Amino acid sequence: MAESMIKIAEVERPDILRIEDLRVHYPVRQGYSFRRGFLKAVDGVTLNLKAGECLGLVGESGCGKSTLAQSILGLVPTSGGRIILDGREVVAAGRAGRLERARVAQMVFQDPFASLNPRHTVGQSLGGPLKLHGMADPAERHHRVEEMMRKVGLRPDAVRRYPHEFSGGQRQRICIARALIVEPKLVVCDEPVSALDVSIRAQIINLLLELKNELGVALLMISHDLGVVEHMCDRIAVMYLGRIVEQGHWNEIFTAPAHPYTQSLISAIPDPMNPAAGTIRLRGETPSALDQPPGCAFNPRCDRAMPACREGSIPDFSTLSATHAARCHLLQGL
Ligand code: ADP
Ligand code: MG
């Protein structure tokens, strides 16, 4: 009986985040002319994330990962599509919209130093969000800040210290504590370990995983490095020039990557057990999001590109399993 109830709960885990056909287009001036164009940083992204799930979002620098993350939190205006957080579409703009989203979703940024106010003690940085959301009276606030410090592996008496007195890894722990203290259902982590020493990256990743399991919070883990998300994500979405090109269970992405772009990202992960393994080298740079090639956006760098990839339309998703899909002309008609 108990087991069948657990199964039902598994199946019916609600979506904490649903993104439908999201677009973020930045107006830009092109060259020296006065012609205005649009840089399509995010162009038609559809994603979902269940309660307590960890979704990895990977892709090269400039493909639109941070823009997508910021649009979820209302930090950049969207040009189209819908964002549904914990079952509710947030329509309010500006500060009201940001506050409404912040109750459900919090963010951890790449640079922990830049995201902490240097003039605030750690206690003030952690107590601020509680006060903002009216979540605790001053005495209780103090208690919750100390408890959160312990949870992220810092001494509770460090609350009187300032950000510059901590190391990079400790500062990222403080940022994680600040994100979790308002008990969000989703934490968006934008390259949370990219600015840290290689030696402490694993500690921060393990901390995020422990807290996810303990608190049941969902994680959107953004990284340009597939290796970082390999061991922590349930599912992985691969982004290229503003669009998702492949999505699947982590196992499917790592053992049977279907899109040539995903294949090249995976082959670029160093394998210490097999240093002779070949790497698929990508030709050229990522094309500009301002001037996307016709057809599949990856075609200029793909060594398997066919005429349909260069001249045809943007490929639709081909379904490879109940959880795995990729957008590639090579897969169409399979
Ligand atoms: P990533 O996080 O994957 O490196 P970003 O989301 O930061 O990518 O950027 C995606 C694209 O949007 C890039 O081409 C970048 O130059 C452009 N971009 C980001 N922010 C702005 C902005 N405020 N105005 C114009 N273009 C922007
Ligand atoms: Mg970024």
Side-chain angles (χ1 to χ4, degrees), residues 73-102:
L73 284 266
L75 305 175
V76 293
T78 56
S79 320
R82 304 199 318 149
I83 297 173
I84 297 138
L85 273 171
D86 202 14
R88 283 186 53 186
E89 183 175 3
V90 189
V91 281
R95 189 178 143 83
R98 284 199 297 276
L99 265 179
E100 197 180 332
R101 291 165 208 246

Side-chain angles (χ1 to χ4, degrees), residues 61-62 64-67 110 190-191 222:
S61 176
K65 305 180 296 297
S66 296
T67 303
Q110 175 172 356
D190 189 4
E191 310 254 11
I222 295 177

Side-chain angles (χ1 to χ4, degrees), residues 286-324:
T286 323
S288 159
L290 248 183
D291 187 21
Q292 296 212 10
C296 168
F298 186 59
N299 86 70
R301 302 169 78 193
C302 180
D303 52 13
R304 287 156 68 197
M306 316 176 288
C309 309
R310 295 186 200 99
E311 293 142 23
S313 54
I314 298 165
D316 281 333
F317 272 109
S318 303
T319 306
L320 303 163
S321 82
T323 48
H324 191 187

Side-chain angles (χ1 to χ4, degrees), residues 111-129:
D111 182 352
F113 201 47
S115 56
L116 289 169
N117 187 331
R119 281 192 281 272
H120 283 182
T121 62
V122 172
Q124 287 170 322
S125 286
L126 295 196

